[in-house]
Amino acid sequence: MSSTLPQSTYNTLIQRSIDLLQLYRHAAASCEPGLKMVLAENAQTLDAMIVDLQAQLRASGGKPSHTGTMRGALRRHVAGSLARVSSHHDVAWIRELSNGESSLLHAFESVVAQLPPESALALRRQLPRLNSIHLDMDNLAGTAS
């Protein structure tokens, strides 16, 4: 982590990532087996990314977040409720996860764009992971429509 990237910015990205990870796990617990496998793989990718971000922050002397936000918990509850009443349960989850993935990717890209290239290197290394998950969810959302 660069000294030009505040600990709070890193922790915000970590918390948003944890929120999305928990949403993936929540969705995977209630989806059909094929989709559950895809969601579990994406959750593993997010988990690895979170561990990397936490390690980077810890290595620079910061104290990384280990929990998501109340907003994330509320979103998980609302999304679960809406998916349960939806006639297309798995499609509802795919759309919610696709939106969450897009939002997280844009948050990372926004922070990276605001930093000098040398300061953004650690976050830029996470973008391929996020792009991969984002493409998975976009493809699923496209076939689910």
Side-chain angles (χ1 to χ4, degrees):
M1 183 185 89
S2 167
S3 60
T4 61
L5 183 60
Q7 178 176 331
S8 63
T9 301
Y10 239 69
N11 272 328
T12 297
L13 293 173
I14 290 169
Q15 288 177 318
R16 289 187 69 177
S17 299
I18 291 169
D19 286 343
L20 186 59
L21 171 65
Q22 291 172 339
L23 188 63
Y24 265 99
R25 289 179 175 160
H26 190 75
S30 65
C31 289
E32 59 91 11
L35 180 56
K36 180 182 279 194
M37 187 170 63
V38 171
L39 299 183
E41 288 173 6
N42 286 349
Q44 286 177 337
T45 301
L46 273 172
D47 193 37
M49 184 187 78
I50 292 164
V51 168
D52 285 351
L53 291 172
Q54 290 169 331
Q56 290 167 11
L57 184 54
R58 196 175 300 107
S60 71
K63 185 174 191 271
S65 293
H66 292 281
T67 60
T69 64
M70 288 299 294
R71 182 176 184 211
L74 179 60
R75 179 178 178 201
R76 209 168 38 255
H77 175 73
V78 170
S81 297
L82 293 174
R84 275 191 298 280
V85 299
S86 173
S87 59
H88 301 286
H89 176 77
D90 289 352
V91 172
W93 277 119
I94 290 169
R95 286 187 181 135
E96 183 65 27
L97 290 167
S98 181
N99 288 338
E101 194 58 53
S102 179
S103 176
L104 183 61
L105 178 59
H106 291 305
F108 269 79
E109 289 172 339
S110 176
V111 170
V112 166
Q114 295 172 17
L115 295 172
E118 65 278 358
S119 300
L121 184 61
L123 293 178
R124 188 169 310 176
R125 281 183 272 183
Q126 303 305 328
L127 290 177
R129 287 176 167 166
L130 288 171
N131 277 314
S132 174
I133 296 170
H134 182 64
L135 287 174
D136 277 352
M137 294 315 299
D138 270 359
N139 288 333
L140 286 172
T143 60
S145 296

